[in-house]
Amino acid sequence: MAASITGSLQMLATRRSTSSSRMMLSSTVISDTKVTIQTKLSSSFSLSFAKPFRQSFSSAPRRDNNVVTRAMSEKNDKNSVSGLPIDLRGKRAFIAGVADDNGYGWAIAKALAAAGAEILVGTWVPALNIFETSLRRGKFDDSRRLPNGSLMEIAKVYPLDAVFDSLEDVPDDIKSNKRYSGSSNWTVTEVAESIKNDFGSIDILVHSLANGPEVTKPLLETSRKGYLAALSASSYSFISLLQHFLPIINPGGATISLTYIASERIIPGYGGGMSSAKAALESDTRVLAFEAGRKKQIRVNAISAGPLGSRAAKAIGFIEKMIEYSYANAPLQKELLADEVGAAAAFLVSPLASAITGSVVYVDNGLNTMGLACDSPSLSV
């Protein structure tokens, strides 16, 4: 992608030298000394790159980066919108795997809401009561705040356990488990049917699910049961969701799943088959992009996100060390924010990304590009 962008910029510069006219593309200005790419919504994202490149391996770290997502208000006059807007008004999104307000699923929901989409969420059944109670009592109100001052509205919360396709797949011990009592219609098939009955259709499907019961075990010590459980919850669950939701996703819709660099690099400690599950998820993304694209013009992409200290991520036991490692070694030496993943997701499901499918997009401050740890003791010898 970098090579493609560089080539495009060189081509534009060459054209400019042979013509006295300026080339202006909405809010993109290319000059001899700097490149400014500023996508500005009247109520949307603002992205700006205006500093010349300087090679440095010891740049001052920053922790104050902010990604601003501004909602597209219904009152906005479309004629007054400048730049290239991410406008999801009239779209409906289902985000599977939201159980609190500090994970990537929540951040994606907020970004889509800020762009104007209607939000539905699927919450793991054992966490449903706590999540709904927290919402009702206003414990998430600060996190729900959108840039225009309003609160993100969740049209409906559905109980969901994406490990089970239908009620016939649910073992008796789960059916009788008290954590599942009081909830119904929470298998993938049932949730898809419930959304169809309640809303008719959706436009956006987000898979923010992962679980590996033996994630702390090395692969050599992982049981068959644990390995298959990781694949079932973390990768096949996406296949199942898309399979059963496909009939209610409007043509031209989009899906997003979340993956991790362990799919292609060794991350010691990220075990129990989870690295294999993420590799499968990325492979499935490409295959499903073809199949869903041919069937209904639905785009299928994945975001490979850097480490985040969410409640779910803390299950691996060393997430804080991974965050520190990323901060010390990524090309962009700054804290990775969940909102940055949300912003990338909003772009990928928007019409601006209408030709992007089957892709894994890295949102990790560039850590995936590194081949040598900058903080390695070997470098100081």
Side-chain angles (χ1 to χ4, degrees):
M1 182 178 287
S4 176
I5 293 173
T6 301
S8 299
L9 295 180
Q10 290 173 344
M11 184 179 296
L12 287 172
T14 301
R15 290 179 180 174
R16 184 183 178 190
S17 67
T18 60
S19 173
S20 60
S21 63
R22 294 183 179 179
M23 296 187 66
M24 297 188 68
L25 180 57
S26 186
S27 57
T28 304
V29 179
I30 301 176
S31 68
D32 294 331
T33 58
K34 70 180 180 179
V35 178
T36 301
I37 302 174
Q38 189 170 21
T39 303
K40 205 173 188 181
L41 307 180
S42 82
S43 314
S44 66
F45 303 104
S46 295
L47 305 176
S48 177
F49 306 89
K51 294 183 179 180
F53 173 77
R54 294 186 179 88
Q55 184 172 355
S56 174
F57 299 104
S58 59
S59 58
R62 296 188 297 112
R63 289 186 180 271
D64 58 349
N65 181 70
N66 289 310
V67 170
V68 179
T69 308
R70 294 186 174 89
M72 294 290 293
S73 170
E74 292 290 347
K75 297 180 181 179
N76 285 344
D77 181 359
K78 289 187 177 181
N79 294 326
S80 69
V81 176
S82 63
L84 207 57
I86 295 179
D87 188 353
L88 297 177
R89 287 173 293 182
K91 304 297 184 181
R92 182 177 296 115
F94 177 66
I95 299 94
V98 178
D100 55 43
D101 65 340
N102 70 345
Y104 285 136
W106 178 271
I108 291 172
K110 277 187 67 177
L112 301 188
E118 183 179 20
I119 304 299
L120 315 175
V121 303
T123 300
W124 188 44
V125 184
L128 180 66
N129 184 53
I130 294 176
F131 180 70
E132 289 189 315
T133 300
S134 296
L135 271 177
R136 188 169 57 253
R137 293 180 177 176
K139 291 185 177 181
F140 296 154
D141 282 0
D142 287 343
S143 299
R144 289 172 59 201
R145 187 78 55 188
L146 298 176
N148 69 350
S150 65
L151 296 181
M152 174 179 67
E153 295 295 336
I154 297 176
K156 189 165 183 177
V157 179
Y158 291 88
L160 171 68
D161 193 327
V163 169
F164 305 108
D165 296 333
S166 64
L167 193 59
E168 290 73 26
D169 300 326
V170 183
D172 291 337
D173 62 322
I174 295 294
K175 290 179 181 178
S176 60
N177 192 309
K178 64 181 181 179
R179 296 195 299 173
Y180 285 77
S181 63
S183 296
S184 59
N185 300 322
W186 43 260
T187 65
V188 174
T189 304
E190 292 172 313
V191 173
E193 187 64 26
S194 295
I195 291 177
K196 179 182 178 180
N197 293 335
D198 294 339
F199 296 95
S201 64
I202 63 172
D203 303 279
I204 299 163
L205 174 65
V206 178
H207 176 273
S208 180
L209 300 165
N211 183 48
E214 298 181 15
V215 65
T216 58
K217 291 185 178 180
L219 197 56
L220 281 173
E221 299 175 13
T222 300
S223 68
R224 182 184 298 272
K225 182 179 179 181
Y227 184 92
L228 294 178
L231 264 69
S232 175
S234 308
S235 55
Y236 186 80
S237 57
F238 178 55
I239 299 174
S240 177
L241 281 169
L242 186 52
Q243 179 185 114
H244 292 94
F245 276 74
L246 192 65
I248 67 169
I249 300 178
N250 292 320
T255 75
I256 292 288
S257 63
L258 293 172
T259 184
Y260 182 49
I261 191 63
S263 63
E264 54 185 294
R265 300 285 190 272
I266 301 169
I267 307 293
Y270 191 75
M274 281 302 300
S275 58
S276 307
K278 292 301 185 182
L281 181 63
E282 293 179 19
S283 178
D284 295 339
T285 295
R286 292 182 283 272
V287 176
L288 292 172
F290 171 78
E291 295 182 0
R294 289 299 180 93
K295 280 183 178 293
K296 295 186 69 174
Q297 294 294 303
I298 292 170
R299 296 182 295 110
V300 182
N301 292 297
I303 292 176
S304 184
L308 177 73
S310 64
R311 292 185 182 92
K314 290 177 180 178
I316 68 174
F318 65 104
I319 187 64
E320 295 301 330
K321 292 182 179 179
M322 289 303 302
I323 293 173
E324 291 174 7
Y325 178 88
S326 177
Y327 184 79
N329 294 289
L332 299 179
Q333 199 173 12
K334 63 179 183 60
E335 182 181 5
L336 177 66
L337 303 177
D339 286 348
E340 293 173 302
V341 172
F347 163 72
L348 285 172
V349 301
S350 77
L352 298 181
S354 60
I356 301 175
T357 193
S359 296
V360 176
V361 178
Y362 297 94
V363 184
D364 62 356
N365 287 330
L367 185 64
N368 71 93
T369 65
M370 298 299 294
L372 179 66
C374 297
D375 62 353
S376 172
S378 302
L379 298 180
S380 60
V381 176

